[in-house]
Amino acid sequence: MSSVVSTLDADLLTDTRAVPASMDAFLAQVERRAFRMAELNLGHREDALDAVQDAMLRLVKHYGDKPPQEWTPLFWGILRRRIVDLQRRRKVRSIMVNWLGGRDEDGEELPAWDPADTSPGPLERLHDSQSYADMAAAVKKLPQRQREAFMLRVLEGLDVAETAQAMGCSEGSVKTHLSRALQRLRDLLEEWR
C-alpha cells in the first residue's frame, strides 16, 4: 500500500491547506485533482472534463463572493453533485434507449449509449506503474459514498467537517464511510502490503 501512496504522492497529496489568494489560484490548485476524481467516478474523459468545468463555473458564479476558506468544501460538493447528475443521466438514457428499442417514433435509429471505456487511459500509461492502475481499480470498486469519502478525505485532504459539508451528510457518516472504504481497499490491495 505504501508504494501505491508514494505513486500518488506527487500529484494528489499536495498540500491543499494553504488558502489561495484568488479564485483563479484556487481553481488552478484543484483542477488536476478534480479531474482525476471525476474521471475515476465517471470513467470517461470528456464527461470528467465537463463535470469539472461545470463545477468551476458554478463556484465562480454562485460563490465567488464567499471567503476563500469556504471555497474548498463548496467546490467539492458542487463537483460531487455534478458527477451524480451525469451518472443518473447515463442510466436514464440507457433505460430509455432499451425501452424504445433503439428507434424513435419515425423509425430512425437513436444514438446508442456506449458504456464508459475502462481500458487503461493516458494517465496509467504516463505513470507506467501497475500500482496506480491497481489503486484506481480498487477505488472504482468502492460504493459511491465510500469512494467520495475516501477521495475527499485522503486524496483531497479535507477535514471531517469539510468533507461532511461537501457530501451533504453528518461527520459521523463521513467517518463510517471512510472506515469502510479503507478496510475494503486494504482487502483489495492486499498484495501491495
Side-chain angles (χ1 to χ4, degrees):
M1 184 81 163
S2 63
S3 63
V4 173
V5 172
S6 65
T7 302
L8 295 171
D9 212 15
D11 294 326
L12 295 178
L13 299 178
T14 57
D15 182 20
T16 59
R17 304 299 353 161
V19 178
S22 70
M23 181 64 79
D24 289 338
F26 171 76
L27 295 176
Q29 182 182 21
V30 298
E31 175 181 29
R32 193 174 207 176
R33 294 185 315 275
F35 171 72
R36 288 191 181 150
M37 179 179 179
E39 188 176 36
L40 276 172
N41 280 288
L42 295 170
H44 193 260
R45 182 177 174 77
E46 286 75 25
D47 287 347
L49 289 170
D50 288 344
V52 172
Q53 182 180 21
D54 188 49
M56 288 179 168
L57 289 172
R58 288 177 192 225
L59 179 72
V60 170
K61 182 177 180 183
H62 299 290
Y63 303 104
D65 58 339
K66 296 282 185 183
Q69 296 84 351
E70 294 181 22
W71 292 342
T72 300
L74 285 170
F75 173 76
W76 290 108
I78 293 168
L79 181 61
R80 182 188 65 80
R81 288 185 295 277
R82 183 67 181 128
I83 289 169
V84 169
D85 287 346
L86 288 171
Q87 290 169 334
R88 285 180 185 150
R89 284 186 188 163
R90 276 187 188 164
K91 185 173 183 174
V92 168
R93 182 174 180 191
S94 177
I95 291 169
M96 292 302 293
V97 167
N98 288 335
W99 183 64
L100 294 172
R103 300 194 179 276
D104 64 12
E105 59 271 356
D106 297 328
E108 296 288 323
E109 188 75 26
L110 290 172
W113 174 77
D114 294 324
D117 181 14
T118 57
S119 64
L123 187 58
E124 287 86 358
R125 289 190 302 270
L126 178 65
H127 285 286
D128 194 31
S129 168
Q130 186 62 36
S131 63
Y132 179 83
D134 289 350
M135 180 68 168
V139 170
K140 286 180 184 180
K141 290 179 182 178
L142 293 174
Q144 182 177 348
R145 297 296 277 179
Q146 290 178 18
R147 185 172 52 239
E148 290 171 356
F150 174 76
M151 294 181 86
L152 292 173
R153 286 282 292 128
V154 176
L155 300 181
E156 180 53 31
L158 299 183
D159 63 26
V160 174
E162 292 171 331
T163 303
Q165 183 180 355
M167 290 178 63
C169 64
S170 69
E171 292 181 18
S173 292
V174 169
K175 292 175 184 177
T176 299
H177 291 308
L178 180 61
S179 173
R180 290 177 181 165
L182 291 174
Q183 183 58 49
R184 177 80 170 129
L185 289 173
R186 281 185 202 103
D187 293 343
L188 291 170
L189 299 169
E190 181 67 31
E191 66 190 48
W192 287 101
R193 283 185 173 209

